[in-house]
Amino acid sequence: MITSDIAPDVRDSWQVPTFDTPLWLGRLHQWCVVIPVINEGERIKSLLARMATLKIGDIADIIIIDGGSTDDSLSLESLQQNAVRGLLVKTGPGKLSAQLRCAYAFALDQGYEGIVTIDGNDKDDPEAIPRFIDALKQGVDFVQASRFIAGGVAENTPKSRDFAIRFIHAPMLSLFSGFKWTDTTQGFRAYSRKMLLDQRVAPFRDVFMTYELLAYLSCRVPKLDYRCIELPTVRRYPKGEVPTKISSFKGNLSVLLVLFRACFGKYDSPMDVEKCR
């Protein structure tokens, strides 16, 4: 592991779910693309094929973090044919945020300067990845994809989700973070190493198990005066199908509860909470 800029006591304090590493070919680039998946079937195969066509592997290392797929969509041979350099398989508890903690800790340990995350369900167009990396190179700390700003495309977005993002989720996070967000529920993002290692951010905590980490970072990071931007992207839902792990009622209610907790500081770093006392 390459952890020269991470103090041992800080690294030991990270709460990271256990995971296996069935594939790791080593770091080639300063940047990596993390793809969280669980039973994405043909969707992850399509995404990887598109990324291979775009030669994303020539500018960033591709790392998949699997939440425990059982659909045989991640054979090591096919992954390597599509320039995937790493496959991590979470064995500990938790869902998306737990997967991300595994992958981000692994990437930081390996010395990556920045991380791009794109969902494995093939809704996002990976052609934007080079622009995300360029932004990181220019000193941006948090890049958020947006289908709703000039140049972005929102295709077949379910009406209920479109309403919730535009009129509830993004406005609340904008109000409480002090940064104008327009598209806050999707996971197509990029983060700098510096930001993820900031102990005031402290992303490696067991409080982040489902969708908490996404809302928390959108609210917390701008408050710490890190450079944040949105970049236009294309997000397409297939007609007649909504590929998502969020169930219609219970899942959406959970997302709203997470949103309120993030906005009201319930996930803030214990370091900052202690200072406020």
Side-chain angles (χ1 to χ4, degrees):
M1 293 192 301
I2 307 170
T3 58
S4 59
D5 63 339
I6 307 175
D9 60 327
V10 171
R11 181 61 182 85
D12 289 343
S13 72
W14 291 1
Q15 295 173 333
V16 180
T18 55
F19 62 92
D20 294 329
T21 311
L23 174 67
W24 177 234
L25 302 177
R27 178 168 69 88
L28 285 181
H29 301 96
Q30 288 184 296
W31 323 97
C32 68
V33 179
V34 164
I35 309 176
V37 302
I38 182 165
N39 292 326
E40 296 297 352
E42 294 301 316
R43 292 186 289 267
I44 181 59
K45 295 179 182 180
S46 173
L47 174 63
L48 291 176
R50 295 166 70 192
M51 291 174 65
T53 299
L54 292 165
K55 300 187 183 301
I56 298 300
D58 290 349
I59 60 171
D61 295 341
I62 301 170
I63 301 173
I64 291 178
I65 171 64
D66 180 25
S69 297
T70 56
D71 61 358
D72 298 321
S73 60
L74 301 173
S75 73
L76 297 187
E77 181 180 359
S78 66
L79 294 182
Q80 292 183 70
Q81 288 174 349
N82 284 297
V84 174
R85 297 198 63 79
L87 171 63
L88 316 178
V89 179
K90 181 180 66 66
T91 56
K95 297 183 179 179
L96 178 62
S97 291
Q99 287 175 254
L100 295 177
R101 282 187 288 136
C102 293
Y104 293 168
F106 180 84
L108 293 174
D109 283 340
Q110 300 303 320
Y112 288 103
E113 289 301 317
I115 300 168
V116 178
T117 305
I118 185 169
D119 292 341
N121 55 22
D122 200 30
K123 288 187 292 190
D124 298 302
D125 192 335
E127 65 82 26
I129 291 174
R131 296 199 298 277
F132 280 43
I133 293 174
D134 286 343
L136 291 174
K137 289 179 179 179
Q138 293 165 17
V140 175
D141 297 292
F142 185 163
V143 184
Q144 172 66 62
S146 177
R147 74 200 101 171
F148 300 128
I149 59 176
V153 175
E155 191 172 302
N156 299 325
T157 307
K159 291 182 179 180
S160 60
R161 184 157 301 182
D162 183 274
F163 178 87
I165 297 168
R166 289 177 183 267
F167 298 105
I168 301 174
H169 209 275
M172 279 198 64
L173 284 172
S174 297
L175 176 65
F176 282 86
S177 72
F179 183 86
K180 175 62 176 177
W181 298 112
T182 65
D183 198 357
T184 46
T185 61
Q186 63 163 307
F188 194 3
R189 302 170 168 209
Y191 303 128
S192 72
R193 179 183 187 87
K194 177 178 67 175
M195 183 274 288
L196 289 173
L197 288 177
D198 190 331
Q199 293 186 67
R200 297 172 300 170
V201 179
F204 301 107
R205 290 178 279 138
D206 284 340
V207 68
F208 304 121
M209 296 296 280
T210 58
Y211 297 96
E212 302 91 353
L213 193 57
L214 300 182
Y216 164 71
L217 291 174
S218 296
C219 192
R220 186 73 183 123
V221 173
K223 293 181 184 178
L224 298 174
D225 294 325
Y226 280 106
R227 290 183 61 189
C228 304
I229 63 169
E230 288 188 322
L231 290 179
T233 57
V234 177
R235 191 166 176 85
R236 292 188 174 94
Y237 283 77
K239 291 183 178 180
E241 180 188 5
V242 181
T244 180
K245 299 299 184 293
I246 303 175
S247 61
S248 57
F249 178 77
K250 185 177 179 181
N252 286 323
L253 178 60
S254 175
V255 169
L256 284 176
L257 289 174
V258 164
L259 170 64
F260 281 96
R261 289 171 182 152
C263 287
F264 288 98
K266 299 301 182 181
Y267 303 124
D268 285 359
S269 165
M271 175 183 294
D272 281 357
V273 172
E274 187 66 30
K275 285 180 180 178
C276 293
R277 290 178 179 172

